[in-house]
Amino acid sequence: MVEPWIKKYAPKHINEIINQSEAIGKIKSFIEKYPNVNKKALLIYGPPGVGKTSSIYAIANDLNYEVVELNASDNRNARVIHEKLGEAIKGKPFFKKGRIILVDEVDGLAGFQDRGGVGALAKIIEESRWPVILTANDPWDPKFKKLRDLCDMVEFKKLSNYDIIRQLKRICANEKITIDDNVLSALADRSSGDLRSAINDLQALAMMSSHITLKDLEVLGYREREITIFKALGQMFKANTIMGATLPFADVDMDPEEIKAWVEENISNEYENIKEIYEAYNWLSLAVVFYGRIYKRQYWDLLKYFTTLMYAGVALAKEKRYNKFTKYRMPQYIRKLSQNKEIREKIEELSKNLQKKVHTSKHRVREVYINTLIVLMKENEKIGRKYAEILGFNENEISYIKGAVEKL
Amino acid sequence: MSDNEIWTEKYRPKRLDDIKGQGEIVKRLKAFVESKNMPHLLFAGPAGVGKTTAALALARELYGDKWEQNVLQLNASDDRGIDVIREKVKEFARTKPIGNVPFKIVFLDEADAMTRDAQQALRRIMEEYSSVTRFILACNYSSKIIEPIQSRTVIFRFKQLDKKDVFELLKSIAEKENLNISDDALEAIYYISEGDMRKSINILQAAALYSKDITPELIYEVTSIAKPQELQEVLKLAYEGKFAEAREKLIDLMIKYGLAGEDIIKYLSKEVYSMNIPEKEKLDIIYYAGEIEYRLLEGSDPIIQLGALLAYIGLRGLQNRK
């Protein structure tokens, strides 16, 4: 059996951990100083695949500690937690200098709280003679409030494309694989900061060939959709008839609602004359209004009007066909906007108390205070923190907000 | 000591007499206090002009220091579902008012966020408990409140605050907080907040965290709206026919400031007035901007709608150059 590369290339030592030096420093000092620490446990959080768990093992290895792990595959109600960890938190390891109690993915288990999981964990943290470390993707769920209060929080950052590409290159060199640079950046793009998934993809590609090209990416399934939409866009922009403009999209496995963003992104990419651009946008704008009506009434029979106005309106806006090669783009802003929204919503979730204090609705709290908080945090951390304090956020929450705002 | 307070609360008028710019309403409310009796009320008016403040001050004067036990504050847009509201009102109305006023007050904010069906149910709740409670409903537009509720309430229309009132209030806060505030800075706050006192005071507090000297630059620095210069830049690029650049810049602004399409188009159309082009051109653009704002309501998708506006501006620019 082939060894999974994510295991093979997991960091064995602290210096092999990629780009998390601040977090690593905190974890290391927590373990070494324990039990003379501020809070009795650490809660490590961050997106998937950035090295939270593997870092703990690397640190343990360097410090000559053993790791006792309770992970998502274990059932984690109060009884199991007590059975699995009850002994470990008391005894001494035979061969190692110390022990780390690792509870992986605390947010991963449904109903965990109901079956006394949180309470049992709190007890473990309280009684343990060894450092307890928890990991989570999203620790801001209200049901973890009690755990958050017991823990110092350490954030793992999302990895940059650069970090990921560097790591993939290292693996390729070691595995004697040649790979095109554009494949590397495509893999990095796809992973959105998740090194684990990028390495998994790479291994899947390498199983088929030792020279990987962009063409091979299709095998992973996720290129296909884009190839067909790019083709359809090309045909639409060149079309001179209504049929010619609408037919190419018959094969595209995408909702017209989704396609409209691709069309919009590429109007000014294809057309150069402002009159054409205006006419294309005006049709697209009207088509969207039509879509709004269809949606409101749930009258999907009318969808053909939306698509026809969109495709043909944009195609027929040109005065004459452009004989050039256009490199079509995928829509950029949607991902950015929705990511933006998600982060803002998380911050708002933390603002229930504030809402009471200032006698107003969530909507107004967002409009007035949260917006200001985000701006201040961005412009000047010290002032942002001061303002957050005034609004009544606690230290953990402020650190989280700081981190979240950086991603905006 | 006091510098850890939220100023919008710290400077919220405590007494009816301290409320600025709503003279007639204050007079009527004081009469209710006098007689210890009042009908159900409907406060209509834009955000940040004193609706909540008036309700809280009224309660304070009616009940004195027992006011908090006698007032239930609910928010129609947050307390999802009419059943939640019914439960809370029921619970609250079960106990007698504390003090010598024969009723308690339920203050329901953003009542116009409720659907018509929910409003019908609300009407029944109001009737059910009318012997022991009085309702004060607040909304932005009374037209969004169903007729049967309107007819059971006395409607008070809160006016948008005058520039003069806003300036006066901000100046008095500045004085108490030892700030120097320039007239330009006051103008900048007004431009951004459009007479919304909550916004105005909050902006002032944010700016004061930086410096005791409040300047317009500082005001823009602490607010999440695109600065007029940045919007002018977008309009200028569009008018010169540099569509792709204008679009790019606009999307950047939306992401940077977290602005919704509706916000952007409001700010943009405000900026059209100060563009450096013939007045008649502006009128055409404003007309199309109105059309686009309308389409935005109908079909959403801000990028497409705003793109259409930028392209239209480019087209006007082109025709003007010819």
Side-chain angles (χ1 to χ4, degrees), chain B residues 44-319:
Chain B
V49 300
K51 298 186 298 294
T52 304
T53 298
L56 296 178
L58 174 69
R60 246 190 221 100
E61 297 195 11
L62 270 172
Y63 305 110
D65 53 4
K66 302 277 191 306
W67 73 275
E68 273 164 308
Q69 289 100 301
N70 289 303
V71 178
L72 173 66
Q73 199 179 345
L74 296 171
N75 202 293
S77 63
D78 297 336
D79 293 308
R80 282 284 161 217
I82 190 72
D83 289 337
V84 175
I85 290 177
R86 183 194 297 276
E87 275 312 304
K88 285 189 177 168
V89 170
K90 192 169 147 191
E91 178 73 14
F92 174 72
R94 236 183 24 200
T95 57
K96 283 216 175 79
I98 300 170
N100 56 357
V101 180
F103 56 85
K104 291 177 157 186
I105 290 179
V106 175
F107 178 61
L108 181 63
D109 206 357
E110 306 203 354
D112 47 356
M114 300 172 89
T115 61
R116 294 183 68 84
D117 288 347
Q119 289 190 35
Q120 289 292 355
L122 175 67
R123 187 194 96 184
R124 283 192 293 278
I125 298 173
M126 289 171 73
E127 272 161 8
E128 243 171 276
Y129 297 100
S130 66
S131 58
V132 280
T133 62
R134 296 291 179 279
F135 279 75
I136 303 178
L137 310 183
C139 64
N140 292 139
Y141 304 104
S142 63
S143 59
K144 285 197 191 161
I145 302 294
I146 57 171
E147 278 293 331
I149 289 186
Q150 288 199 38
S151 78
R152 282 168 175 78
T153 53
V154 174
I155 304 180
F156 286 152
R157 291 187 200 286
F158 284 67
K159 289 198 306 270
Q160 181 86 55
L161 295 183
D162 290 341
K163 215 188 222 183
K164 192 175 104 293
D165 292 328
V166 175
F167 281 19
E168 213 172 280
L169 278 161
L170 290 174
K171 276 186 189 155
S172 82
I173 294 173
E175 199 176 306
K176 287 184 194 120
E177 299 287 343
N178 296 315
L179 305 175
N180 303 312
I181 185 164
S182 69
D183 283 351
D184 291 348
L186 289 170
E187 290 284 351
I189 294 179
Y190 193 80
Y191 173 89
I192 293 160
S193 66
E194 300 181 303
D196 177 337
M197 263 335 274
R198 189 192 288 279
K199 271 192 196 164
S200 303
I201 296 174
N202 183 59
I203 292 169
L204 185 62
Q205 179 169 27
L209 289 172
Y210 276 90
S211 163
K212 295 264 169 215
D213 296 305
I214 312 295
T215 60
E217 291 73 34
L218 190 51
I219 296 300
Y220 286 116
E221 182 119 1
V222 302
T223 44
S224 67
I225 77 152
K227 298 162 187 61
Q229 299 94 296
E230 292 177 293
L231 294 163
Q232 282 296 341
E233 176 70 17
V234 171
L235 291 173
K236 191 162 160 277
L237 285 170
Y239 196 73
E240 287 166 358
K242 294 174 185 153
F243 176 84
E245 282 172 61
R247 172 183 176 274
E248 186 97 340
K249 177 118 202 179
L250 188 73
I251 293 175
D252 283 348
L253 289 180
M254 289 178 73
I255 288 169
K256 180 165 154 208
Y257 296 107
L259 293 171
E262 288 86 343
D263 301 327
I264 279 273
I265 195 152
K266 279 199 189 90
Y267 293 131
L268 264 187
S269 50
K270 209 152 75 175
E271 285 305 321
V272 170
Y273 294 87
S274 13
M275 280 175 84
N276 194 13
I277 59 172
E279 288 294 305
K280 269 197 153 176
E281 289 280 295
K282 291 183 194 171
L283 196 58
D284 284 334
I285 293 174
I286 288 164
Y287 171 75
Y288 194 73
E291 171 68 26
I292 286 296
E293 188 166 349
Y294 177 72
R295 291 186 197 170
L296 200 53
L297 290 175
E298 286 273 294
S300 74
D301 205 314
I303 304 287
I304 288 174
Q305 301 303 354
L306 292 166
L309 177 59
L310 293 182
Y312 179 77
I313 294 172
L315 188 63
R316 302 299 312 183
L318 178 76
Q319 286 164 350

Side-chain angles (χ1 to χ4, degrees), chain A residues 278-294:
Chain A
Y278 163 70
E279 216 171 289
Y281 265 96
N282 198 41
W283 275 117
L284 185 56
S285 148
L286 290 168
V288 168
V289 170
F290 223 102
Y291 182 83
R293 292 184 198 157
I294 297 167

